[in-house]
């Protein structure tokens, strides 16, 4: 089968099994194609990393649109509302994607380490078993740091989304200059909150890079 067609086929099977909720069947099928839990975890971490980068860019974009209100001196208020609402909806979608990707990383990671630990007893060579145990401990420790960084960044998302939602809803029902002035007064708070969110996401991205390096080194 052609490589690109094979990849597409595998992706379709993976999606079908993932949607069915049968994780063990999913792992078994993927292993049949040469993709083991370690490979799946690498892929999931990379996707989680990408989702955080995309979310960071989206929140920056949303902040720019809100910040532009400081220069508002008249115009189509309905258009202003629609633009801000679009940014909010895009930000909300990006946030959901981040959470989904982190959940996937946590599930596959836990499954991988559980399997790794169970299989230590299968070694007959003591030296190899001990070496594998040490690598398991180091890799698991880095994974915990990664997951902690991801969850820490994730927790910063809801307050920002809530602030966006409040402002968009207020503008929706108060399309007037007073509403614009009210939004302008919140810009500095949003800038601070989004700055912290993006900083934590960058730390999480850095942890993802370190974890991927460790995992690939031990492969």
């Amino acid at each position: 089968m052609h490589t690109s067609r094979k990849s597409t086929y595998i992706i379709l099977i993976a999606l079908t099994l993932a949607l069915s909720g049968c994780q063990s069947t999913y792992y078994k099928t993927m292993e049949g194609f040469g993709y083991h839990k370690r490979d799946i975890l690498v892929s999931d971490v990379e996707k989680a990393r990408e989702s955080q980068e995309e979310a960071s860019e989206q929140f920056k974009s949303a902040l720019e649109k809100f910040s532009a209100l400081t220069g508002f001196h008249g115009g189509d208020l309905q258009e202003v509302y629609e633009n801000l609402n679009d940014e909010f909806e895009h930000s909300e979608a990006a946030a959901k994607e981040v959470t989904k990707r982190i959940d996937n990383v946590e599930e596959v990671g836990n499954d991988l380490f559980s399997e790794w630990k169970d299989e230590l007893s299968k070694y007959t060579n003591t030296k190899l078993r001990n070496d594998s145990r040490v690598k398991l401990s180091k890799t698991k420790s880095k994974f915990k740091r990664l997951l902690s960084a991801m969850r820490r960044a994730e927790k910063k998302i809801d307050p920002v989304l809530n602030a966006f939602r409040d402002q968009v809803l207020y503008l929706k029902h108060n399309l007037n200059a007073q509403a614009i002035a009210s939004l302008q007064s919140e810009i500095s708070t949003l800038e601070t909150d989004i700055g912290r969110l993006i900083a934590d996401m960058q730390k999480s991205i850095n942890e993802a890079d370190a974890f991927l390096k460790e995992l690939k080194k031990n492969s």
Side-chain angles (χ1 to χ4, degrees):
M1 184 182 294
H2 191 276
T3 302
S4 60
R5 289 179 62 189
K6 180 180 178 182
S7 298
T8 302
Y9 181 58
I10 292 173
I11 291 171
L12 289 173
I13 290 177
L15 286 173
T16 300
L17 292 171
L19 290 172
S20 71
C22 186
Q23 196 72 358
S24 60
T25 303
Y26 166 67
Y27 288 141
K28 186 175 181 180
T29 302
M30 293 301 287
E31 286 178 4
F33 286 104
Y35 293 89
H36 297 272
K37 290 186 183 70
R38 180 185 293 269
D39 304 307
I40 297 170
L41 181 58
V42 167
S43 177
D44 283 347
V45 171
E46 289 173 342
K47 289 174 183 176
R49 184 189 186 286
E50 290 169 6
S51 72
Q52 288 185 313
E53 288 181 331
E54 291 168 1
S56 293
E57 291 304 314
Q58 174 53 44
F59 280 110
K60 286 178 185 177
S61 173
L63 179 60
E64 287 173 2
K65 291 291 175 65
F66 273 88
S67 297
L69 292 175
T70 57
F72 184 83
H73 300 295
D76 189 340
L77 287 173
Q78 181 64 33
E79 183 178 356
V80 171
Y81 160 72
E82 290 175 356
N83 287 338
L84 292 181
N85 189 55
D86 284 345
E87 288 297 327
F88 166 70
E89 290 179 349
H90 291 324
S91 298
E92 191 172 42
K96 288 180 180 178
E97 183 67 13
V98 167
T99 294
K100 183 181 78 172
R101 295 301 182 185
I102 295 174
D103 288 344
N104 289 345
V105 166
E106 182 171 20
E107 181 175 18
V108 176
N110 288 337
D111 289 343
L112 169 64
F113 295 124
S114 178
E115 177 187 75
W116 193 342
K117 181 181 178 181
D118 290 343
E119 291 183 343
L120 288 174
S121 62
K122 295 182 180 181
Y123 281 95
T124 57
N125 185 302
T126 303
K127 182 179 179 180
L128 292 178
R129 182 193 302 118
N130 290 338
D131 182 65
S132 185
R133 182 181 288 112
V134 170
K135 288 181 178 179
L136 167 60
S137 179
K138 288 182 178 179
T139 308
K140 191 173 182 179
S141 177
K142 284 189 176 293
F143 178 76
K144 287 182 177 179
R145 284 181 56 183
L146 167 63
L147 194 60
S148 177
M150 286 183 167
R151 293 301 187 190
R152 187 164 51 248
E154 181 191 21
K155 286 180 180 179
K156 292 284 194 346
I157 293 177
D158 276 350
V160 172
L161 281 179
N162 290 339
F164 277 164
R165 184 185 295 105
D166 287 347
Q167 299 307 317
V168 170
L169 284 174
Y170 187 75
L171 182 59
K172 177 181 180 180
H173 298 293
N174 301 273
L175 289 174
N176 52 49
Q178 184 178 356
I180 294 294
S182 176
L183 292 180
Q184 291 173 341
S185 68
E186 298 295 326
I187 296 301
S188 60
T189 300
L190 279 173
E191 287 178 341
T192 300
D193 289 345
I194 291 176
R196 290 171 178 166
L197 168 61
I198 291 174
D200 274 355
M201 281 193 169
Q202 186 56 54
K203 290 177 182 177
S204 176
I205 289 168
N206 293 341
E207 286 292 342
D209 288 338
F211 177 74
L212 288 170
K213 183 178 180 180
E214 179 71 17
L215 201 60
K216 292 174 180 178
K217 181 177 72 175
N218 290 331
S219 62

